[in-house]
Amino acid sequence: MRDRRAERREATLAEIVDAAWTLVRREGLAALSMRDLARLVGMQAPSLYSYFDSKHAIYDAMFAQGARAYLDEEALVVPTGDPLADLQAGARFFVEFCVKDPARYQLMLQRTIPGFEPSPATFALSIEGLNRLEARLTGMGITDHRSLDLLTAVGTGITDQQISNDPGGDRWISLVDEAMEMFFHHVTKTNKTKQHTRTKRCA
Amino acid sequence: MRDRRAERREATLAEIVDAAWTLVRREGLAALSMRDLARLVGMQAPSLYSYFDSKHAIYDAMFAQGARAYLDEEALVVPTGDPLADLQAGARFFVEFCVKDPARYQLMLQRTIPGFEPSPATFALSIEGLNRLEARLTGMGITDHRSLDLLTAVGTGITDQQISNDPGGDRWISLVDEAMEMFFHHVTKTNKTKQHTRTKRCA
DNA sequence: GTCTATATTTGGATAGAC
DNA sequence: GTCTATCCAAATATAGAC
């Protein structure tokens, strides 16, 4: 039998988290306050503590929601078998996912809230995202960790510059495909070097 | 004749800014408070207002000091004439400059202080840094803005990942030389493509 | 220039009635 | 579960004496 009370509670929890996102997108991630949040959902501030133990607990719920959204949307990017094209599609997805919600990016990847870190359960969700990226690369024959680190650096670098220096524009987004071409040629060339075939390419 | 009063004032201004750096490095950039700062220099909080109009004015002085430090230290990186080696040396300098003081990096490049932006005079100093980078690239024959944007993305991406995910280590720092090799080969190859010589390389 | 005292705002969080 | 009332802490900034 349906538990109507539990359903109601879940709905209110979700409503509070949604309102929190609305606030931080409007005012900045650090500007979230329990009073403002309560007002936005039609409560008094103390009532929020019936749903969340603290403000950090709300940040944690937001983080978890963001991580789930990433996993859900990432799953829609299906590989074609063309390594470079797949790399580009994956990078475009990542950068666009981050850029379209800078507050979420700040919460999940930049960690600027003093004293906040995600709970173990929530953090596990974000680790899963990195694992999937690693799996995609492995599918392309890229297996060394240095290449993975280089790729994440390029991805976050483009994202950061886009958000910081051209918000709303596409100055760095438009470089994603080119950047992935650069990265792909680099890692494939390096592999061939290791197999001692690079200098034989033109032979 | 020396103005001993002005000298004394300058010394106190510098002392306050230095103490502010000490605080933000210890507690985080956003945690700077006038009370703590005053205590560290042996004053009461209101006395600081004889030297700075507001907390933002202190941030501005810190920003300006950071920008001057960058310009001074950047000037010590002298080109050798070898484009790739110079690119690598410049990138190593940039990443190390940022990584060795994350609070400064956050103030100058990430802009996470709500409501703070540098004054026009201070901002001009940071623009000068970008101009010098552009000049260095021009000296290597790299003149298009897309390449400059790609380079800044790679540089800040490596820096961000290093600070966020391996503080105190060198997991991403150790990728700088390789990343610059990747970038350099990409931009030189692209140039050759534009000159329609790429497909003739093996002929 | 520095101090004491204080205004003012803002925030997270709790107690206890209903 | 929600409210009112309140606590407690921290912060920026100002007024005015010395």
Side-chain angles (χ1 to χ4, degrees), chain A residues 106 109-110 112 146 149-150 152-154 156-158 160-161 164 171-172 174-175 178-179 181-183 185-186 189 202, chain B residues 106 109-110 112 146 149-150 152-154 156-158 160-161 164 171-172 174-175 178-179 181-183 185-186 189 202:
Chain A
Q106 202 182 342
L109 277 85
Q110 294 207 326
T112 59
R146 286 175 62 88
D149 285 349
L150 183 55
T152 59
V154 174
T156 58
I158 289 174
D160 263 7
Q161 291 289 88
S164 298
R171 181 167 156 190
W172 275 271
S174 70
L175 292 172
E178 183 182 338
E181 206 181 313
M182 171 180 78
F183 172 78
H185 285 157
H186 174 73
K189 187 199 65 183
C202 296
Chain B
Q106 202 182 344
L109 275 86
Q110 294 207 331
T112 61
R146 288 176 60 89
D149 286 348
L150 184 55
T152 59
V154 173
T156 58
I158 288 174
D160 263 7
Q161 290 290 88
S164 299
R171 182 167 156 191
W172 275 270
S174 71
L175 292 172
E178 183 183 338
E181 205 180 315
M182 171 180 79
F183 172 78
H185 285 157
H186 174 73
K189 188 198 66 181
C202 296

Side-chain angles (χ1 to χ4, degrees), chain B residues 187-202:
Chain B
V187 293
T188 51
K189 188 198 66 181
T190 300
N191 285 344
K192 285 182 178 171
T193 302
K194 282 179 183 166
Q195 293 159 19
H196 303 289
T197 61
R198 186 175 66 119
T199 54
K200 298 174 189 165
R201 257 165 74 198
C202 296

Side-chain angles (χ1 to χ4, degrees), chain A residues 173-193:
Chain A
I173 288 177
S174 70
L175 292 172
V176 169
D177 282 352
E178 183 182 338
M180 287 304 104
E181 206 181 313
M182 171 180 78
F183 172 78
F184 183 73
H185 285 157
H186 174 73
V187 292
T188 53
K189 187 199 65 183
T190 301
N191 284 343
K192 285 182 180 169
T193 303

Side-chain angles (χ1 to χ4, degrees), chain B:
Chain B
M1 182 172 148
R2 277 169 59 193
D3 183 341
R4 301 186 69 87
R5 188 168 303 180
E7 283 172 10
R8 175 66 192 229
R9 184 176 177 82
E10 285 302 315
T12 305
L13 284 168
E15 194 185 345
I16 291 169
V17 172
D18 287 348
W21 279 119
T22 300
L23 270 183
V24 299
R25 287 187 193 117
R26 187 195 302 159
E27 307 286 341
L29 184 64
L32 178 66
S33 87
M34 300 298 269
R35 288 162 188 241
D36 292 347
L37 178 56
R39 191 157 46 84
L40 194 58
V41 295
M43 291 180 180
Q44 295 297 318
S47 303
L48 292 174
Y49 290 86
S50 298
Y51 296 94
F52 293 97
D53 286 341
S54 66
K55 194 166 83 157
H56 278 8
I58 294 176
Y59 278 128
D60 194 67
M62 294 165 78
F63 192 117
Q65 195 183 70
R68 272 186 227 103
Y70 177 84
L71 293 175
D72 289 349
E73 296 181 28
E74 185 262 4
L76 300 179
V77 182
V78 289
T80 66
D82 177 345
L84 175 55
D86 289 347
L87 199 57
Q88 289 170 325
R92 276 197 306 270
F93 161 73
F94 174 80
V95 173
E96 273 160 20
F97 181 86
C98 294
V99 165
K100 82 176 159 200
D101 194 340
R104 182 173 61 185
Y105 177 69
Q106 202 182 344
L107 174 65
M108 294 178 64
L109 275 86
Q110 294 207 331
R111 313 279 185 81
T112 61
I113 303 297
F116 168 70
E117 59 179 27
S119 63
T122 300
F123 190 65
L125 287 173
S126 76
I127 291 295
E128 170 64 12
L130 198 58
N131 287 342
R132 291 211 194 155
L133 174 59
E134 201 166 356
R136 278 181 191 268
L137 285 182
T138 302
M140 299 172 195
I142 302 168
T143 54
D144 62 311
H145 285 130
R146 288 176 60 89
S147 295
L148 178 63
D149 286 348
L150 184 55
L151 179 62
T152 59
V154 173
T156 58
I158 288 174
T159 303
D160 263 7
Q161 290 290 88
Q162 183 60 56
I163 290 175
S164 299
N165 298 323
D166 183 37
D170 73 337
R171 182 167 156 191
W172 275 270
I173 288 176
S174 71
L175 292 172
V176 169
D177 282 352
E178 183 183 338
M180 287 304 103
E181 205 180 315
M182 171 180 79
F183 172 78
F184 183 73
H185 285 157
H186 174 73
V187 293
T188 51
K189 188 198 66 181
T190 300
N191 285 344
K192 285 182 178 171
T193 302
K194 282 179 183 166
Q195 293 159 19
H196 303 289
T197 61
R198 186 175 66 119
T199 54
K200 298 174 189 165
R201 257 165 74 198
C202 296

